[in-house]
Amino acid sequence: MTDLYHQLITKLDTLVADKPKRWVVALSGGVDSCVLLDLLARYQTQFGGHCVAVHVHHGLSPNANAWASRCQSVCQPLNVEFKLEKVDLGDIQGESVEARARDARYQALAKHVQADDVLLTGQHSDDQVETFLLALRRGSGPKGLSAMAEKMPFGQGQLVRPLLNVSRHAIELYAKERNLTWVEDESNQDTRYDRNYLRHQVVPKLTKRWPTIDAAINRSARLCAEQELLLDELLQAPYERALADDGSLEIGELEQHSEALRIRLLRMWLERQGALMPSQAQMSQLWHQVAQAKLDANPQLILNQGQIRRYADRLYWLNKHQDISSWRGGLSLNTPLTLPDGLGELELIESENGSLALPHGACLEVSFEPQGLMAHPNQRGHRRKLKKLFQEYGVPSWLRRRTPIILCHDEVVAVAGLFVTRAYAGQQFELVWHQKHVFVPKS
């Protein structure tokens, strides 16, 4: 029998140093993911651990509901928890379907990857060849030609591709030997899509002419990946000099470098924000129209996953976010309040060295809507509208409705990270905002 199981054990031992809280399998229902699920179910039986399978329902095929049901039925006898995620791709046409579906799939999967979880996907060596050739067609550099990584950060955990060195033939052979069943996506035969055209028309001809070309391409991809890792290591020091405490990039520091090095630092920054790499034209636009715009301008570059803004000689990455201006939540002592849209937690704790005092029985509420509110910061000599105070403290415009405002009967008590008002200044309590990056006000 095809010895994929022992290969999986070896690969997971190599790629995953610490036992994860959960194994999360991306289960499309195709042969690759069904084989991966079967392998992991065997692994779970032998070594323990919790396994979750997530099926993303795109709704693109008339068979989508049947595929979801099939995936659920496969999980039950394997003692694997099943999760269904439905996504709406909207009105899309042509080649953009591939990219939109892929982005939506990974965004849906990220919802199920918690801290210390490992997401497993079933891409194999044939997929790697196709990805390399697609990058070559786009004129990608070493980063694009490194194709898919075996391991990378993903969401709050990691993404691991344990079958990346396994051929499609070996996967299909294992599936037949184990009497597995799977679904066939009819769109995989549609050669209007570039990946399918490569799979059915190009790669077979290349393989017939050069039987070992798949191994050669995979080797080239690994070499490109190694070069990329080396570059990142060598450029870590200038990258850290350009990186501000709040995760933004100092434009003045970038200006000290050559164009090639500057672009590399920008790409490092965007990659670490989890952004898809902009095109060469977009990178030029980023520097010349955003970073180098006039000081009184409010430039921005809109990308698929978010946007890049400039403020006070820094570049900021903004993920797509919700309008939370109408959100309100109660804040109690020593009880962390989870803020909406990934803004972290807010906590009120007792502290002899705090900056906040409250009357007995005070009822606090958190809001993100500054409209109509006024405040008198303890260290300031005047009372002003919050809109003006945000400007004085140098808060970028896009953060002004994403900064927690603490209210007591609609009176401003404090603005998290900025100030406590004079009426509530004291040393009884400390307000702590736990967030990934902390905005540092200019005054």
Side-chain angles (χ1 to χ4, degrees), residues 238-276:
Y239 176 78
E240 290 179 354
R241 287 195 297 270
L243 190 67
D245 291 339
D246 59 1
S248 62
L249 277 187
E250 299 276 4
I251 294 174
E253 187 65 36
L254 295 175
E255 289 174 331
Q256 305 302 313
H257 302 296
S258 67
E259 180 181 8
L261 180 51
R262 183 171 65 240
I263 289 175
R264 179 68 193 195
L265 294 175
L266 285 167
R267 289 189 180 278
M268 288 175 65
W269 177 63
L270 289 170
E271 182 179 20
R272 296 176 190 190
Q273 309 303 317
L276 294 176

Side-chain angles (χ1 to χ4, degrees), residues 290-310:
V290 179
Q292 299 294 294
K294 295 180 180 179
L295 293 179
D296 59 350
N298 186 26
Q300 57 186 292
L301 176 63
I302 307 295
L303 301 173
N304 287 336
Q305 294 174 300
Q307 56 182 283
I308 302 168
R309 303 284 291 265
R310 193 202 70 187

Side-chain angles (χ1 to χ4, degrees), residues 259 262 283-294:
E259 180 181 8
R262 183 171 65 240
M283 290 300 295
S284 177
Q285 184 182 353
L286 166 58
W287 183 252
H288 294 291
Q289 298 182 26
V290 179
Q292 299 294 294
K294 295 180 180 179

Side-chain angles (χ1 to χ4, degrees), residues 353-369:
N353 298 314
S355 58
L356 183 63
L358 295 168
H360 179 71
C363 184
L364 300 182
E365 195 173 34
V366 178
S367 170
F368 291 91
E369 178 51 80

Side-chain angles (χ1 to χ4, degrees), residues 227-239 268:
Q227 294 298 313
E228 287 299 295
L229 289 174
L230 177 60
L231 271 176
D232 283 352
E233 183 178 334
L234 294 174
L235 295 179
Q236 186 61 27
Y239 176 78
M268 288 175 65

Side-chain angles (χ1 to χ4, degrees), residues 131-132 135-136 138 140-148 224 228:
T131 302
F132 182 94
L136 190 65
R138 292 191 297 266
S140 299
K143 180 66 177 176
L145 295 176
S146 62
M148 294 180 287
C224 287
E228 287 299 295

Side-chain angles (χ1 to χ4, degrees), residues 371-440:
Q371 184 66 34
L373 295 177
M374 300 190 68
H376 188 166
N378 187 41
Q379 303 300 324
R380 297 291 184 98
H382 54 264
R383 171 182 167 89
R384 304 199 68 176
K385 291 182 178 180
L386 272 189
K387 179 181 177 180
K388 292 292 184 182
L389 288 171
F390 278 139
Q391 292 174 352
E392 292 179 10
Y393 278 89
V395 179
S397 58
W398 60 88
L399 289 181
R400 294 172 192 174
R401 279 184 165 80
R402 297 181 66 78
T403 300
I405 304 163
I406 295 80
L407 303 170
C408 182
H409 302 298
D410 291 328
E411 181 182 12
V412 178
V413 172
V415 176
L418 294 184
F419 59 80
V420 173
T421 58
R422 178 167 294 185
Y424 292 91
Q427 295 181 311
Q428 293 177 293
F429 306 100
E430 188 68 27
L431 186 68
V432 182
W433 185 10
H434 304 284
Q435 53 177 326
K436 182 178 179 181
H437 292 304
V438 180
F439 169 73
V440 180

